[in-house]
Coordinates of all heavy atoms in Angstrom, one line a residue:
H7 N 8.2 -5.1 4.6 CA 7.7 -6.5 4.6 C 6.7 -6.5 3.4 O 5.7 -5.8 3.3 CB 6.9 -6.7 5.8 CG 7.7 -6.6 7.0 ND1 8.1 -7.7 7.7 CD2 8.2 -5.6 7.8 CE1 8.9 -7.3 8.8 NE2 8.9 -6.0 8.9
H8 N 7.1 -7.4 2.4 CA 6.3 -7.3 1.1 C 6.5 -8.7 0.4 O 7.2 -9.5 0.9 CB 6.9 -6.1 0.2 CG 8.3 -6.4 -0.2 ND1 8.7 -6.4 -1.5 CD2 9.4 -6.6 0.5 CE1 9.9 -6.6 -1.6 NE2 10.4 -6.7 -0.4
Y9 N 5.9 -8.7 -0.8 CA 6.2 -9.9 -1.6 C 6.3 -9.3 -3.1 O 5.7 -8.2 -3.4 CB 5.2 -11.0 -1.6 CG 3.8 -10.7 -1.9 CD1 3.3 -10.7 -3.2 CD2 2.9 -10.4 -0.8 CE1 1.9 -10.4 -3.4 CE2 1.6 -10.1 -1.1 CZ 1.0 -10.1 -2.3 OH -0.2 -9.8 -2.6
P10 N 7.1 -9.9 -4.0 CA 7.4 -9.3 -5.3 C 6.3 -9.0 -6.1 O 6.4 -7.9 -6.9 CB 8.3 -10.4 -6.0 CG 8.8 -11.2 -4.8 CD 7.9 -11.2 -3.7
T11 N 5.1 -9.7 -6.1 CA 4.1 -9.4 -7.0 C 2.9 -8.5 -6.5 O 1.9 -8.3 -7.0 CB 3.4 -10.7 -7.6 OG1 3.0 -11.5 -6.5 CG2 4.4 -11.5 -8.4
S12 N 3.2 -8.0 -5.3 CA 2.2 -7.1 -4.6 C 2.2 -5.7 -5.4 O 3.3 -5.0 -5.4 CB 2.6 -6.8 -3.2 OG 1.9 -5.7 -2.7
P13 N 1.1 -5.2 -5.9 CA 1.0 -3.9 -6.6 C 1.3 -2.8 -5.6 O 2.1 -1.9 -5.9 CB -0.4 -3.9 -7.1 CG -0.9 -5.3 -7.2 CD -0.3 -6.0 -6.0
F14 N 0.7 -2.8 -4.4 CA 1.0 -1.7 -3.4 C 2.5 -1.7 -3.0 O 3.0 -0.7 -2.7 CB 0.0 -1.8 -2.3 CG -1.4 -1.3 -2.7 CD1 -2.4 -2.1 -3.0 CD2 -1.7 0.1 -2.6 CE1 -3.6 -1.7 -3.3 CE2 -2.9 0.5 -3.0 CZ -3.9 -0.3 -3.3
A15 N 3.0 -2.9 -2.9 CA 4.4 -2.9 -2.6 C 5.3 -2.4 -3.6 O 6.3 -1.7 -3.5 CB 4.9 -4.5 -2.3
E16 N 4.9 -2.6 -5.0 CA 5.6 -2.0 -6.1 C 5.6 -0.5 -5.9 O 6.6 0.2 -6.3 CB 5.1 -2.5 -7.4 CG 5.8 -1.9 -8.5 CD 7.2 -2.3 -8.7 OE1 7.7 -3.2 -8.0 OE2 7.9 -1.7 -9.6
K17 N 4.4 0.0 -5.6 CA 4.3 1.5 -5.4 C 5.4 2.0 -4.4 O 6.2 3.0 -4.6 CB 2.9 1.8 -4.9 CG 2.6 3.3 -4.3 CD 1.3 3.3 -3.7 CE 1.0 4.6 -3.0 NZ -0.3 4.5 -2.3
I18 N 5.5 1.3 -3.3 CA 6.4 1.7 -2.2 C 7.9 1.5 -2.6 O 8.8 2.3 -2.4 CB 6.1 1.1 -0.9 CG1 4.7 1.5 -0.4 CG2 7.2 1.4 0.2 CD1 4.5 2.9 -0.2
R19 N 8.2 0.4 -3.2 CA 9.5 0.1 -3.8 C 10.0 1.2 -4.6 O 11.2 1.7 -4.6 CB 9.6 -1.3 -4.5 CG 9.3 -2.4 -3.6 CD 9.6 -3.8 -4.3 NE 8.5 -4.1 -5.2 CZ 7.6 -5.0 -5.2 NH1 7.4 -5.6 -4.0 NH2 6.7 -5.2 -6.1
L20 N 9.2 1.7 -5.6 CA 9.6 2.8 -6.5 C 9.7 4.1 -5.8 O 10.7 4.9 -6.1 CB 8.5 2.9 -7.6 CG 8.5 1.8 -8.6 CD1 7.2 1.9 -9.5 CD2 9.7 1.9 -9.6
I21 N 8.9 4.3 -4.8 CA 9.1 5.6 -4.0 C 10.5 5.5 -3.2 O 11.1 6.5 -3.1 CB 7.9 5.8 -3.1 CG1 6.8 6.2 -4.0 CG2 8.2 7.0 -2.1 CD1 5.4 6.3 -3.2

Side-chain angles (χ1 to χ4, degrees):
H7 299 257
H8 68 122
Y9 58 87
T11 57
S12 162
F14 282 98
E16 179 65 8
K17 170 187 168 185
I18 299 302
R19 291 187 293 252
L20 285 167
I21 291 172

